[in-house]
Amino acid sequence: MKELEQRILKDGQLLGNDILKVGSFLNQQVDTALLVKMAQEVKRLFPEEITKVLTIEASGLPFACMVAVELGVPFVFAKKSKTSNVSGDVVTAKVHSFTHNIDNIINVPKDYIKETDKILIVDDFLANGEALNGLIEIVEKCKASVVGCCVQIEKAYQNGGNTLRNQGYKVIALASIKEMTSNIIQFN
Ligand code: 5GP
């Protein structure tokens, strides 16, 4: 999506060599007009039947909410916990956090995902695919179907996206970064 790419070039900040900060327009302060356009694009890219949108807290939340509004379905988010001591009737998966370098146990109440659900998984970033893999694991443990995965930004030089595509999942990024160095960001 050209408008998103241009905004990344204008307002994205590189932290070290590998973390792109987009907090000023995507995931802490949110440009809602851009968010609406992204959600409309997701609807166009995923014409399949979708009954629920699933994401992981916290930075995927605004995108998931707007996509769900656009599709006219609920959205659910997985909560993160640092220990496996998660109580209640929940489905869990272990996810290694790329940005914080820790393992989280992510969890969703069993009741929120039914066997008949057709789930679109969304997130802000796709890097090594840990977050999406954990969310897929949760959907599959609930015996629901994964329609596909959509992220705002894929760092395509990391292998998460292509590993999932090779496994047969439909994975689409609204902006796909081919290369990122301190003075240049190139898109696919
Ligand atoms: P993955 O699980 O695919 O390795 O990494 C994706 C997750 O890590 C996303 O949920 C996102 O919050 C975070 N993440 C990965 N790379 C970046 C990045 O460059 N910038 C930001 N802001 N978050 C990232």
Side-chain angles (χ1 to χ4, degrees), residues 6-136:
Q6 282 162 0
R7 193 61 181 273
I8 292 167
L9 293 176
K10 182 170 164 280
D11 291 329
Q13 289 175 296
L14 214 62
L15 295 188
N17 262 346
D18 219 15
I19 302 283
L20 178 64
K21 219 174 154 225
V22 290
S24 69
F25 63 102
L26 274 195
N27 60 17
Q28 186 164 9
Q29 169 172 257
V30 181
D31 179 337
T32 50
L34 178 60
L35 195 64
V36 169
K37 287 182 196 161
M38 286 190 279
Q40 289 166 342
E41 182 65 0
V42 176
K43 186 176 183 181
R44 191 185 67 79
L45 292 166
F46 287 89
E48 298 92 340
E49 187 194 358
I50 291 164
T51 61
K52 225 163 254 182
V53 173
L54 175 67
T55 192
I56 182 169
E57 68 174 351
S59 47
L61 291 176
F63 184 46
C65 185
M66 194 60 81
V67 168
V69 168
E70 197 58 45
L71 296 175
V73 299
F75 88 95
V76 174
F77 66 93
K79 290 195 172 184
K80 288 176 188 165
S81 156
K82 285 188 188 59
T83 66
S84 52
N85 187 16
V86 180
S87 59
D89 209 2
V90 294
V91 188
T92 62
K94 190 162 109 180
V95 168
H96 184 76
S97 164
F98 181 81
T99 39
H100 300 108
N101 198 22
I102 53 164
D103 287 338
N104 285 306
I105 304 298
I106 64 166
N107 65 87
V108 173
K110 265 202 178 82
D111 280 358
Y112 296 175
I113 299 179
K114 312 274 185 220
E115 280 189 38
T116 48
D117 272 324
K118 297 172 178 29
I119 308 273
L120 177 65
I121 296 174
V122 306
D123 203 2
D124 58 343
F125 274 89
L126 169 55
N128 292 324
E130 287 275 334
L132 292 189
N133 268 305
L135 292 169
I136 289 171

